[in-house]
Amino acid sequence: MQRKQQAVEGNRISNWMMLLLAAACGLIVANLYYAQTLVGPIHVALGLSSTTAGFIVTLTQIGYVVGLLFIVPISDIIENRRLMVVSLIITVCALLVAAFAPNATLFLTASLFIGVGSVVAQILVPYATYLASEEQRGRVVGNVMSGLLLGIMFARPLASFITSIWGWQAVFIMSAIVLTLLTILLSRALPERKPVPTVSYSKLILSLGTLFKQTPALRRRALYQACLFGAFSLFWTVVPLRLADDFGMSQQGIALFALVGVGGAIAAPIAGRLADKGWSKGLTGLAMVIAALSFLVIYIFQSHSTAALILLFISAITLDMAVSGNLVLGQRVIYSLGSEARGRLNGLFMSIFFIGGAIGSSLGGWSYALGGWNFSALIGVILPVLALLYYFTEKETGGDVRKKQNG
């Protein structure tokens, strides 16, 4: 109990608690991405067609959106720690079902529930801001989001490495074991947070539409990130196919390539610190430009040469930096809009941009089948450019939302 009190002493989150929350976010959200590089072996094992196999990742992301819209808002009315434990138990059960599923229908159903339960990561991030003081909020969000982003980026290579040694089922079994241990740790280490409910659950869900209509800053930030995350999802859906088809890479080679993207996570804490200094708007535009250029370079240089491969490596890093940095900038704005609705605001923000990610994944598979890497890379350029065009209509800076919430 003394340790729990130390975690929030003086309304400043301790370093050990920040580390725990960051690690938990990474381990939980990784479950959304393990299957991304395993679509090949899974669809062969379960007899899925190439077209249907693309739904493995999409269904997990749809489940995540469902959880964001209908589970995350509950964090505004019930005790957060209990909600997280129940959701993690659902995730563990879904992972075990996926590992031992005898047919495609059961596996795809389990994939949906893996996504639903994994929204615990998006309860933990606003939970961290409740423990933080105002002056350290940007740094806390940046550090916790670094853990989440590292989980996203390590998930793909880790899943590939484990699959190459023990098979794809081992990925889901090992994750279930890790999440079981994490559930026990969080249930003992996290301080209780009991929000005072002011509305019923049904009114809470209905209020999502009102919040979306009355909060322009939320709409703007969510659409920015939806475009960038759509480009990110498209890249990581298609690039394994390009590496295998054009460069003859094995599963282990693709895993090594995926490790490169981990370097992009360094942008998250940097963006958080700079946002605390009032640089949100300029950094937002810079993130969009970097994302567009990342795709433009690999669209122009499409040979099978070593130079083209090196450019792919560089683009993976810069694209991940743009997406992770802009995510932290957006969340800092969202968390400044009002603590009483923070769970709902975060749920709306994340669900909108994950819809963008699901669309990006679907566009990636469709465009690669229709026009190859050339068509996919072109769409990758267009998505951040659309965000940039919308950005030019912004009048309020990201740091002004506390002064004018609806600007």
Side-chain angles (χ1 to χ4, degrees):
M1 179 63 77
Q2 183 179 3
R3 198 177 184 191
K4 291 180 183 180
Q5 291 172 347
Q6 290 172 349
V8 293
E9 185 176 353
N11 200 33
R12 289 183 66 86
I13 188 170
S14 65
N15 289 332
W16 76 265
M17 179 60 75
M18 201 184 309
L19 178 63
L20 172 61
L21 295 175
C25 282
L27 292 170
I28 294 166
V29 82
N31 290 286
L32 300 175
Y33 298 93
Y34 286 138
Q36 200 161 49
T37 55
L38 306 182
V39 170
I42 290 174
H43 97 268
V44 171
L46 298 179
L48 289 166
S49 67
S50 297
T51 303
T52 309
F55 285 106
I56 294 172
V57 177
T58 302
L59 270 175
T60 308
Q61 291 180 329
I62 289 173
Y64 198 65
V65 171
V66 170
L68 287 166
L69 289 175
F70 297 102
I71 294 179
V72 171
I74 304 177
S75 64
D76 286 337
I77 60 173
I78 72 169
E79 203 279 305
N80 285 191
R81 187 174 61 185
R82 187 184 309 123
L83 176 61
M84 288 186 266
V85 168
V86 171
S87 298
L88 283 173
I89 291 172
I90 292 173
T91 310
V92 169
C93 293
L95 286 165
L96 292 174
V97 170
F100 298 104
N103 55 62
T105 301
L106 194 56
F107 179 86
L108 291 173
T109 302
S111 297
L112 182 71
F113 279 95
I114 288 172
V116 172
S118 294
V119 294
V120 174
Q122 294 309 321
I123 300 173
L124 282 168
V125 178
Y127 177 89
T129 68
Y130 286 110
L131 304 182
S133 60
E134 176 64 28
E135 64 270 15
Q136 67 170 173
R137 185 166 292 155
R139 182 171 68 90
V140 169
V141 172
N143 288 337
V144 174
M145 288 304 299
S146 291
L148 185 145
L149 292 164
L150 284 172
I152 293 175
M153 294 168 188
F154 271 118
R156 291 180 292 265
L158 182 62
S160 293
F161 280 128
I162 293 173
T163 299
S164 67
I165 301 172
W166 295 299
W168 64 267
Q169 292 92 340
V171 176
F172 295 93
I173 294 171
M174 292 175 71
S175 182
I177 294 170
V178 169
L179 287 196
T180 299
L181 297 175
L182 179 65
T183 303
I184 296 171
L185 177 59
L186 291 178
S187 68
R188 295 177 178 273
L190 294 183
E192 285 189 348
R193 178 188 172 258
K194 295 181 178 179
V196 179
T198 56
V199 293
S200 64
Y201 178 69
S202 59
K203 290 183 179 178
L204 191 77
I205 297 302
L206 290 173
S207 72
L208 293 175
T210 303
L211 274 175
F212 183 75
K213 289 180 181 178
Q214 295 181 351
T215 318
L218 167 67
R219 296 198 301 271
R220 180 173 289 277
R221 284 288 167 176
L223 289 172
Y224 287 167
Q225 192 64 20
C227 289
L228 292 190
F229 195 62
F232 176 90
S233 297
L234 182 148
F235 180 87
W236 286 107
T237 297
V238 175
V239 80
L241 300 174
R242 171 150 163 78
L243 292 173
D245 295 344
D246 297 340
F247 297 98
M249 280 195 181
S250 64
Q251 191 76 25
Q252 287 191 347
I254 294 171
L256 288 171
F257 178 89
L259 278 172
V260 174
V262 173
I266 64 170
I270 295 172
R273 286 176 172 82
L274 293 177
D276 285 341
K277 297 180 180 179
W279 294 14
S280 291
K281 185 172 183 180
L283 290 173
T284 299
L286 179 62
M288 295 169 186
V289 171
I290 290 174
L293 290 177
S294 298
F295 267 104
L296 184 61
V297 169
I298 54 180
Y299 172 74
I300 295 172
F301 299 98
Q302 294 190 36
S303 67
H304 301 174
S305 65
T306 303
L309 182 59
I310 291 172
L311 286 175
L312 271 179
F313 274 86
I314 295 172
S315 293
I317 296 172
T318 55
L319 179 62
D320 287 0
M321 288 181 68
V323 175
S324 60
N326 192 67
L327 176 56
V328 171
L329 296 172
Q331 285 194 299
R332 191 185 189 284
V333 171
I334 299 306
Y335 297 150
S336 299
L337 296 176
S339 60
E340 71 283 350
R342 196 169 288 164
R344 282 169 287 168
L345 288 167
N346 186 59
L348 281 168
F349 173 69
M350 299 298 294
S351 61
I352 291 168
F353 95 66
F354 261 89
I355 289 172
I359 291 172
S361 296
S362 300
L363 283 175
W366 169 76
S367 61
Y368 192 83
L370 188 66
W373 176 255
N374 183 64
F375 191 25
S376 297
L378 180 60
I379 294 176
V381 174
I382 292 171
L383 289 173
V385 168
L386 290 175
L388 190 62
L389 292 174
Y390 184 40
Y391 166 80
F392 287 139
T393 69
E394 182 176 345
K395 295 179 181 179
E396 296 290 332
T397 64
D400 289 335
V401 291
R402 280 171 291 179
K403 299 176 183 177
K404 186 178 179 182
Q405 290 184 7
N406 291 331

